[in-house]
Amino acid sequence: MMKNSISRVLAAATVAISVLTSSHVAQAVTFDFNFSFSNPESFGGGHITGIVRGLTEGTSNATSVEILGNTENFGLGGYIGPPETNTFINLWKVESGAVTHVDFVSYIDNTPGAGSDCCVLYLWFFPPTGAAEGALRLRSNYTPYPEGDLGLRFTPVPLPASGGLLFAAIMGVAGVRRWNKSSA
């Protein structure tokens, strides 16, 4: 009798902790991806790194795309979000937690050290080859789009710590159930 009461209290506590630590469980899972590519010399060169946030499984729009680094020191900043951004195309496809298609074109008007008419960011899959490509150019540079694999790669950002807490809570519930069966 006492074991049943203790196990019920433990099970209830475990469920409560899992609910409290995993707010918005009913929301769709969103994915964030780091990306990098070698910018074509005709577009200003450099190695570009950035992050795309807020994608969901299937076709969706990113909630944030930022250039975090550029070895040529231009184009840093957000391409979705701040009022000074202008996004023309924002279509992404995620399958099994991986980016499988992207069509993205956006520009920012201001970026530190680059003047007031800065940059256009292109991320896309080139249809004939299927290669992922990216380019970042100054808006005053009207060089034709490059073709071929420019090394655009997407890397999933690890789950936040709350994902681990949810997993631990689920394992706790499973452990309590197993303990109940073995003590019965």
Side-chain angles (χ1 to χ4, degrees):
M1 181 80 161
M2 182 65 109
K3 282 186 181 180
N4 280 343
S5 298
I6 291 172
S7 64
R8 286 184 182 151
V9 168
L10 287 173
T14 304
V15 169
I17 288 170
S18 68
V19 168
L20 290 174
T21 59
S22 61
S23 61
H24 308 294
V25 172
Q27 284 186 334
V29 174
T30 59
F31 298 97
D32 298 341
F33 293 89
N34 292 316
F35 64 87
S36 64
F37 61 90
S38 295
N39 205 30
E41 287 299 322
S42 61
F43 274 45
H47 183 75
I48 311 296
T49 58
I51 188 166
V52 56
R53 293 184 178 97
L55 299 177
T56 59
E57 189 74 19
T59 303
S60 63
N61 301 118
T63 58
S64 172
V65 176
E66 298 172 60
I67 297 296
L68 303 176
N70 179 356
T71 56
E72 296 297 315
N73 293 318
F74 70 89
L76 304 177
Y79 285 78
I80 298 178
E84 66 272 9
T85 62
N86 294 282
T87 304
F88 298 110
I89 303 172
N90 182 13
L91 298 172
W92 301 75
K93 188 169 186 179
V94 175
E95 295 177 298
S96 302
V99 174
T100 59
H101 186 80
V102 58
D103 284 313
F104 182 83
V105 179
S106 182
Y107 71 85
I108 58 175
D109 289 332
N110 296 297
T111 192
S116 63
D117 193 27
C118 182
C119 304
V120 181
L121 175 63
Y122 304 94
L123 302 171
W124 72 96
F125 276 77
F126 193 65
T129 63
E133 300 178 7
L136 175 67
R137 72 168 171 82
L138 295 173
R139 286 176 59 197
S140 59
N141 177 344
Y142 294 102
T143 306
Y145 305 140
E147 296 179 9
D149 188 353
L150 300 173
L152 176 61
R153 303 292 180 258
F154 293 96
T155 309
V157 174
L159 284 174
S162 62
L165 287 173
L166 176 61
F167 179 73
I170 292 170
M171 293 290 90
V173 169
V176 167
R177 284 188 164 185
R178 187 173 182 189
W179 182 64
N180 280 343
K181 285 182 181 180
S182 66
S183 64

